[in-house]
Amino acid sequence: MGTPPLSPWAVLVLTLVLLGLWAPCVVSRRPNFIVILADDVGWGDLGANWAETKETPRLDQLAAEGTRFVDFHSAASTCSPSRASLLTGRLGVRNGVTHNFAISSLGGLPLNETTLAEVLREAGYSTGAIGKWHLGHHGRHHPNSRATTWAARTALATTCRPARPARGTAPLPGWRGRTVTQRLPCLSSRTSPSSSSPWSWAAWPGATRRRQSASSRGPGDNGPWAQKCELAGRLGPFVGAWQRQRGGSSAKQTTWEGGHRVPALVYWPGRVPARRTSHALLSILDIFPTLVALAGAALPPNRRFDGLDVSPVLFGWSDVGHKVLLHPNSGAAGKVGEIEALRLAQYKAFYTTGGAMACDGSTGPAQQHQPPLIFNLDRDIQEQEPLDVASREYQAVLPAISRAYAQALQDIAADNVSVADYSQDPAAIPCCNVQHVGCRCHGALGATRDPHGETRTPRLCL
């Protein structure tokens, strides 16, 4: 399906996630989309959010010219589950992706889950992706098999930043389509929030891509990784003080605000209001249903979604988002993927805490909370002092929280849920194309020696 030439792009920036929308010609009326997502970005890594941050002038300009969302959340507090939720509009307990895939993983995002790219391709869009994928690379789990054209010069699995790869581990693969063209060293430092491992995805109506100038970048699939110490991002005011007092992290992997509250911007000249700050409770889960609605497409049938079409919020017609938002365990205490915290209006309830490592090596005790810890975020954004269980406020809000939690679990139990394959095989580690000088393995040509002098076994070329 072809379309006439496109007029200037509009840029929608979500979750730092930068989500780009371009307004095409009057004939089509369907926008182009760009989503820019990067690793481990704290709410305070955006200068528009946190005055101490000086490294994001271009993002700050987008914030000034668009709408900034200050209560926006990733769907999980680690990489693969958050990215799976962006592409499906569903939490990991529904789409099957509850924790990270490895570089040797055989599986990925379950094939019966429909991605945003697949929906938009069916609606006549062309789609493409650049950067970190982290939802499977072996066989049909490769992103090129999920209705998008992909290239990457970043981490296939986890982001790593030591000066050199550890002995016995594979360097990061650099991809072009299904071919690994080089082995990339791990990053020795993070010079600024905007330099961290970005992933971008784009869609435009039909095959025509002619456009005028456009520029957008952005960091956020989850909060900063506390184990990186001074190289980790900035939490802003969302420090999870209750947890910090007991040891352990309150950032990535956790359900504390620092683990999942991320920067978010929307920029679409003429459609999205400029110089606006929204306090609507939104999530990365909302990107799927919102873009599907803006494209005039239909949501996939026979499944339930956790995201909302938040177009009215984007356009400034409303400032109402989720009433209830669920936060799954992403590698801290408890079972991965299980709902361990719940947001209801300004109240946040924790059923499990602890278990994530901080910079100092502490993890904090794993604790189950029945009844749950409840914080009033309007008064206590640092999550320092939970409500007294004997207080009138606690007793008034607990029944509503308990009902919301029970209803959420019942809804998930009644849904068509998927199960991801997390099995691993060393043969699934991608090998390099020997024609590229940046490659360090010779794949199917036989075992070779790596730069440290160790013999490497043959790798299965994709």
Side-chain angles (χ1 to χ4, degrees), residues 98-161:
T98 57
H99 53 290
N100 285 342
F101 293 105
I103 198 170
S104 55
S105 289
L106 293 173
L109 177 65
L111 299 176
N112 58 304
E113 288 289 325
T114 303
T115 68
L116 178 59
E118 289 164 339
V119 172
L120 293 180
R121 277 243 179 134
E122 186 68 21
Y125 278 73
S126 298
T127 61
I130 299 172
K132 178 174 175 177
W133 169 248
H134 209 169
L135 291 173
H137 62 279
H138 187 67
R140 295 175 63 196
H141 294 288
H142 191 280
N144 283 6
S145 298
R146 307 309 296 265
T148 189
T149 303
W150 180 68
R153 289 175 58 86
T154 184
L156 176 69
T158 55
T159 301
C160 63
R161 293 188 174 88

Side-chain angles (χ1 to χ4, degrees), residues 3 27 31 52 68 93 96 116 148 192 206 209 223 238 265 284 288 303 307 310 320 331-333 353 367 379 393 398:
T3 61
V27 176
E52 296 178 12
R68 180 171 61 103
V93 287
L116 178 59
T148 189
S192 71
R209 289 184 284 172
F238 305 105
L265 306 175
I284 200 172
F288 185 105
R303 71 204 67 190
V310 296
V320 178
T353 57
Q367 293 181 263
R379 295 197 307 264
E393 184 178 15
L398 179 61

Side-chain angles (χ1 to χ4, degrees), residues 12 14 67 69 266 271-273 276 290 310-316:
L12 218 177
L14 271 178
T67 294
F69 295 88
V266 178
R271 295 295 305 274
V272 169
R276 172 174 171 248
T290 301
V310 296
S311 302
V313 181
L314 302 187
F315 298 140

Side-chain angles (χ1 to χ4, degrees), residues 170-190:
L172 306 181
W175 296 75
R176 181 174 297 276
R178 292 181 178 271
T179 302
V180 180
T181 59
Q182 61 181 310
R183 291 288 181 181
L184 303 173
C186 294
L187 304 179
S188 60
S189 65
R190 171 172 151 169

Side-chain angles (χ1 to χ4, degrees), residues 335-397:
K335 182 179 178 181
V336 289
E338 293 295 309
I339 307 304
E340 301 289 8
L342 176 146
R343 174 81 176 272
L344 175 65
Q346 74 269 34
Y347 294 101
K348 186 174 177 186
F350 288 83
Y351 294 91
T352 306
T353 57
M357 185 177 295
C359 172
D360 61 6
S362 66
T363 58
Q367 293 181 263
Q368 303 291 320
H369 302 281
Q370 285 292 350
L373 297 178
I374 300 178
F375 295 83
N376 183 331
L377 297 181
D378 278 355
R379 295 197 307 264
D380 185 13
I381 59 175
Q382 294 186 345
E383 296 173 301
Q384 182 170 4
E385 189 66 35
L387 301 179
D388 186 338
V389 295
S391 69
R392 182 175 300 178
E393 184 178 15
Y394 186 98
Q395 294 300 321
V397 73

Side-chain angles (χ1 to χ4, degrees), residues 197-276:
S197 228
W199 176 88
S200 61
W201 177 87
W204 48 88
T208 302
R209 289 184 284 172
R210 200 174 82 189
R211 56 191 180 273
Q212 298 184 21
S213 62
S215 175
S216 65
R217 286 200 58 189
D221 55 356
N222 45 253
W225 197 356
Q227 295 177 43
K228 296 302 177 184
C229 301
E230 71 277 3
L231 298 180
R234 299 180 177 97
L235 294 170
F238 305 105
V239 297
W242 187 93
Q243 185 64 65
R244 283 193 172 185
Q245 292 165 3
R246 291 157 178 80
S249 171
S250 57
K252 179 178 178 176
Q253 297 184 304
T254 79
T255 54
W256 298 98
E257 289 294 288
H260 52 76
R261 192 183 289 225
V262 291
L265 306 175
V266 178
Y267 172 79
W268 188 0
R271 295 295 305 274
V272 169
R275 296 177 296 279
R276 172 174 171 248

Side-chain angles (χ1 to χ4, degrees), residues 314-332:
L314 302 187
F315 298 140
W317 306 332
S318 167
D319 206 35
V320 178
H322 292 260
K323 181 179 180 182
V324 175
L325 195 60
L326 308 177
H327 300 299
N329 172 31
S330 299

Side-chain angles (χ1 to χ4, degrees), residues 436-460:
H436 295 277
V437 295
C439 286
R440 300 185 185 178
C441 64
H442 293 169
L445 298 181
T448 62
R449 291 190 175 275
D450 69 11
H452 304 300
E454 295 180 346
T455 300
R456 298 180 61 88
T457 57
R459 301 300 188 198
L460 176 63

